[in-house]
Amino acid sequence: MIEVKNLVRTFNSGDRTIKPVNDVSFVLEQGTLASIVGKSGSGKSTLLSLLGALDKPTSGDVVVDGVSLASLPDSKLTEYRRRDIGFVFQQFNLIPNLSAVDNVMLPMEFAGVRKASRLERAKELLEQVQLDPSKHDRRINRLSGGEQQRVAIARALANEPKLILADEPTGNLDEQTGDHIIELLSSLSRDHNTTILVVTHDRVLANKTDRRFRLQQGKLTEEPARERAVAATA
Amino acid sequence: MSVLARSVGNAFRNKVRTAAVVAVLAVAIGLALAMLVANQAVGAKVQELNASVGTVLTVNPAGGQGFEGGGEPLTAAQAATAAAVPNVSAVVGTSSLRLRNAAAAAAQAAQTAQTGQGGPGNQTGQAGPGGQAAATLTTSLTAAVDAGTLGNRNQQANGTTGSTGTTRQPVRSLPITATGIGAEVDTTGKGLNITQGTGLGDYSAASTGALLGTTLAEKNNLSIGSTFTINDQTYTVTGLFDAGTAFGNNAVYITLPTAQTLAGTPGELSSMIVTVNSMDNVAAAKTALQAALGSDKADVTQGQNLQTAVSSLDSVKNISFIAFIAALGTAGLIILLIMVMLVRERRREIGVLKAIGAPNRTIGLQFVLEALVLAALGSAFGAAIASFASNGIASALISSNTSTGAATTGRGFPGGAGGAFQGGQRGPFGGASQLLNSVTASASPGVIAGGIAAVFGVAIIGALVPALLTARIRPIEVLRGE
Ligand SMILES: Nc1ncnc2c1ncn2[C@@H]1O[C@H](COP(=O)(O)OP(=O)(O)OP(=O)(O)O)[C@@H](O)[C@H]1O
Ligand SMILES: [Mg+2]
């Protein structure tokens, strides 16, 4: 369970102060698939970075399974990112001179997983995101944007995190591959009780999630719940 | 993929830059290693010299330093007195002769008469200790040391090189040192290194055998069994020796009585080489010896001729050590700067690693290892550079530090004789530069390994600062645009 309490993040840009996240509160039960929509620059990525402990809030707190992130020292936050969080970055942020498999293996290496099982699992994950096996050993900077996006998703899943934060995970994918990724994410939340928060501009994707939020001028509002089954057939 | 594999991969990410960095590092490391090798070589030489002169005292007639005929010659009785001094283990008398090529001497005498310049009897610039005028005799031998190369400007002004040509004899040729010795030792008391043939057998008896320096024998096309003359008396070469220096090899050793007879001074000694039984007793023995012989009669010196050489070499040793440290520091600085640059350049990527949960120490280690990969490459090429350059560097260091200083002779030049010497021949005989030939700065694997270990130590220190800088990079860097 993740509880977000009065979260605020302000930036000073020149003489102006901007508040992309301004007093945001919500609670997500474990296993929920949720989405956030909002205009460009509305603060969606900023909010995700606070939930993923990449950044520290100006005020407020995020409590994960009863543990307040604000109270944790940096080393514990690193451990939290490694163990509990799977982050899919808007810009993918893969290591360009490593292969797809090596990129997926990285979080497992940091978590101390044995090399043989790292490799096995990395290949498995890349197959799950439908990356052609011939491209598993290819260096990242020789993959297309959509291919990189799928490697980024596979990497986020590597350590079986309990919270996946995905920033526009289908932005670079064709409809069919995008649908597959959505299916992959919802099966994770369904079958593995993984909490998933997806930032998206894609209404179809948003409509398939259990809960839908909208971020506007730093404020988060929830849109009326829909039946998942209905959304899936829409 | 391990941290190490990633570090190696990162080191080669930008191949052109890596090549440039490795090249610069190789020069710095090569210089450092060459300096270390030079330092070790000179250090070893200094130790060797100290050991060789360590227990030897030289006794010369009193008041003889630098002047001809200063003081009474030493006698056999004084040798006995010296031998009776406590802790003295051996006393070897020597009698020095100065040999001149007969033809050259004649030519020079003629020229001197005309110009009134220099010539025999000019007593300036005598470098060696010893006050007794060594007898100058004529010989069929030609000196192996080319006066022209020894910086005697007077000589060069005369337009001759002193040793070339059969049609035109040099106007002034260098003398050859002939020393009568009472044992098989050279003038510094070191055992003679006989490379061919045999010694003279009984050094206390007259004999027509002679030992020639290798270069002198070569110059005169002599080998074991060949003959030559001194004052029309024929001598046979029984052995060749290598003194290790050009000057030392331009010499002849005959038995002491033979030399005394030739000089017409039976029972007299030019100098005595006194060996003390241990290093610890040298100082006491020196004092006792001086007291026993009387300071008005004899001068006791302790390896004095080599002292200047040793101190010159010591300064070379210090300079090379400082240069080693400086070059090592430069290598460390290069690594530091390049790693700081790399950390700045890869800020975002470091952010990514942190965002996906890499601990600070893993990232730091990755950068240190990358620096070590660069250091290893730099060391490999640097060691190659050093193995080619160290001899040249050692020579350059020694010659630039000793060219003016040492005014004493390297090998206890039997001094005192006015003879044909003009001033200005000190340089080439300057102790340390004579020793130059014998300092071979060969790059021993052990020294190179030690130097490379130091390079790695410095590389780790240099890489530690940027590695610690990575700890301050925040994971949020990942969201910043490039
Ligand atoms: N480090 C920063 N310093 C100053 N302003 C920032 C910083 N990071 C983000 N911002 C600003 O905060 C606002 C929200 O940015 P954010 O990246 O969260 O938007 P977003 O909703 O993810 O947009 P998009 O849909 O385009 O990805 C933007 O106006 C951005 O310019
Ligand atoms: Mg964004």
Side-chain angles (χ1 to χ4, degrees), chain A residues 9-13 16 18-21 38-49 55 90-91 167-168 199 201 215, chain B residues 476 479-480:
Chain A
R9 181 67 169 105
T10 61
F11 293 114
N12 296 315
S13 75
R16 286 187 329 124
I18 49 174
K19 290 192 173 181
V21 176
K39 281 197 287 196
S40 178
S42 59
K44 306 180 294 292
S45 298
T46 304
L47 177 59
L48 282 199
S49 72
D55 196 9
Q90 199 171 4
Q91 322 276 357
D167 205 342
E168 301 206 29
V199 166
H201 287 297
L215 193 57
Chain B
I476 192 65
L479 295 189
R480 306 257 186 275

Side-chain angles (χ1 to χ4, degrees), chain A:
Chain A
M1 189 174 76
I2 177 159
E3 298 163 75
V4 177
K5 295 176 176 173
N6 307 100
L7 212 54
V8 177
R9 181 67 169 105
T10 61
F11 293 114
N12 296 315
S13 75
D15 44 1
R16 286 187 329 124
T17 303
I18 49 174
K19 290 192 173 181
V21 176
N22 189 2
D23 196 14
V24 168
S25 300
F26 64 93
V27 176
L28 283 183
E29 294 298 331
Q30 194 60 38
T32 310
L33 174 62
S35 62
I36 302 177
V37 295
K39 281 197 287 196
S40 178
S42 59
K44 306 180 294 292
S45 298
T46 304
L47 177 59
L48 282 199
S49 72
L50 295 172
L51 300 183
L54 301 182
D55 196 9
K56 290 185 175 159
T58 309
S59 66
D61 197 2
V62 177
V63 180
V64 181
D65 294 336
V67 179
S68 145
L69 294 189
S71 70
L72 293 180
D74 279 353
S75 62
K76 289 280 175 199
L77 290 177
T78 301
E79 194 183 316
Y80 166 72
R81 288 193 296 267
R82 182 166 64 230
R83 255 192 17 206
D84 298 340
I85 301 289
F87 215 114
V88 182
F89 300 97
Q90 199 171 4
Q91 322 276 357
F92 320 141
N93 284 325
L94 298 161
I95 307 296
N97 68 325
L98 297 186
S99 70
V101 165
D102 285 337
N103 264 280
V104 178
M105 285 179 6
L106 264 188
M108 295 187 264
E109 180 194 316
F110 299 148
V113 179
R114 276 184 43 247
K115 186 158 186 172
S117 25
R118 293 207 296 258
L119 187 64
E120 195 182 342
R121 176 155 172 79
K123 297 239 170 215
E124 208 175 279
L125 286 167
L126 287 173
E127 268 163 40
Q128 277 183 32
V129 295
Q130 294 186 328
L131 186 76
D132 195 285
S134 70
K135 292 171 181 165
H136 286 189
D137 292 314
R138 199 176 282 186
R139 280 167 52 163
I140 291 303
N141 49 17
R142 303 218 175 114
L143 293 178
S144 76
E147 287 163 346
Q148 291 187 32
Q149 184 145 44
R150 281 174 281 157
V151 176
I153 293 166
R155 182 179 67 181
L157 306 182
N159 283 339
E160 298 183 315
K162 54 187 183 192
L163 173 61
I164 291 174
L165 301 167
D167 205 342
E168 301 206 29
T170 59
N172 291 57
L173 302 180
D174 61 86
E175 200 178 322
Q176 206 191 339
T177 318
D179 283 348
H180 172 79
I181 294 298
I182 295 162
E183 190 41 50
L184 177 66
L185 293 178
S186 39
S187 78
L188 278 174
S189 75
R190 225 174 23 233
D191 308 335
H192 289 84
N193 203 28
T194 308
T195 308
I196 300 175
L197 188 54
V198 186
V199 166
T200 183
H201 287 297
D202 183 354
R203 289 239 56 105
V204 182
L205 168 54
N207 285 338
K208 288 178 184 170
T209 56
D210 306 327
R211 296 177 67 184
R212 291 170 297 144
F213 296 96
R214 173 175 295 277
L215 193 57
Q216 226 168 359
Q217 288 168 346
K219 301 287 184 189
L220 195 75
T221 51
E222 183 160 10
E223 301 194 342
R226 281 190 172 218
E227 272 305 310
R228 212 173 172 178
V230 177
T233 52

Side-chain angles (χ1 to χ4, degrees), chain B residues 25-210:
Chain B
L25 267 180
V27 171
I29 294 172
L31 192 61
L33 293 179
M35 286 302 169
L36 186 63
V37 169
N39 177 268
Q40 300 288 312
V42 172
K45 189 74 198 173
V46 167
Q47 219 168 37
E48 183 194 314
L49 291 179
N50 278 334
S52 75
V53 300
T55 58
V56 173
L57 298 171
T58 306
V59 181
N60 289 303
Q65 297 286 356
F67 282 92
E68 178 182 10
E72 291 291 304
L74 299 169
T75 63
Q78 281 172 310
T81 310
V85 169
N87 297 320
V88 166
S89 56
V91 175
V92 177
T94 73
S95 171
S96 297
L97 305 173
R98 185 177 297 275
L99 305 184
R100 307 232 42 216
N101 182 274
Q108 191 188 332
Q111 201 211 16
T112 306
Q114 278 168 7
T115 64
Q117 169 207 15
N122 181 331
Q123 285 148 27
T124 60
Q126 288 310 314
Q132 188 187 16
T136 300
L137 307 166
T138 57
T139 178
S140 62
L141 296 171
T142 305
V145 178
D146 183 342
T149 64
L150 292 178
N152 185 332
R153 287 181 184 81
N154 293 337
Q155 182 102 21
Q156 282 174 335
N158 285 334
T160 66
T161 55
S163 61
T164 55
T166 47
T167 51
R168 189 176 170 199
Q169 282 292 338
V171 175
R172 276 189 205 95
S173 69
L174 288 174
I176 299 158
T177 309
T179 309
I181 45 175
E184 198 168 288
V185 295
D186 67 12
T187 48
T188 63
K190 238 168 66 180
L192 277 174
N193 174 22
I194 295 180
T195 55
Q196 270 183 55
T198 58
L200 298 176
D202 184 0
Y203 286 80
S204 59
S207 111
T208 57

